[in-house]
Amino acid sequence: MISLLYVSHSLAADKEADHVVQAIVDTSIARNRALEVTGALVFTGVHFSQFLEGPDQAVMNLMESIRRDPRH
């Protein structure tokens, strides 16, 4: 099991931010449950910060998917 924390800059426009964050949360709930990954997401309006914890490979695969996400 590993833990990972990252911070990224949001590319969502202010008027889209609520929708973008809700879409991330909606997708993450089911995906993270299936991967047995837990965590917390914080959005400041400018930055995302997320803490992830779970099986090594699941967390690393999830982080690779996050890196490719055009929303940050």
Side-chain angles (χ1 to χ4, degrees), residues 16-37:
E16 300 172 337
D18 289 343
H19 175 71
V20 168
V21 173
Q22 190 61 52
I24 290 171
V25 170
D26 292 346
T27 301
S28 298
I29 289 171
R31 180 177 60 186
N32 291 357
R33 185 176 295 134
L35 294 172
E36 298 180 351
V37 171

Side-chain angles (χ1 to χ4, degrees), residues 36-56:
E36 298 180 351
V37 171
T38 60
L41 176 68
V42 175
F43 180 62
T44 67
V46 176
H47 294 96
F48 290 104
S49 178
Q50 188 168 23
F51 175 80
L52 300 168
E53 184 173 69
D56 296 14

Side-chain angles (χ1 to χ4, degrees), residues 4 60 62-70 72:
L4 184 141
M60 298 311 291
L62 184 54
M63 190 62 224
E64 186 55 38
S65 174
I66 291 167
R67 280 188 186 113
R68 292 189 307 265
D69 190 323
H72 42 144

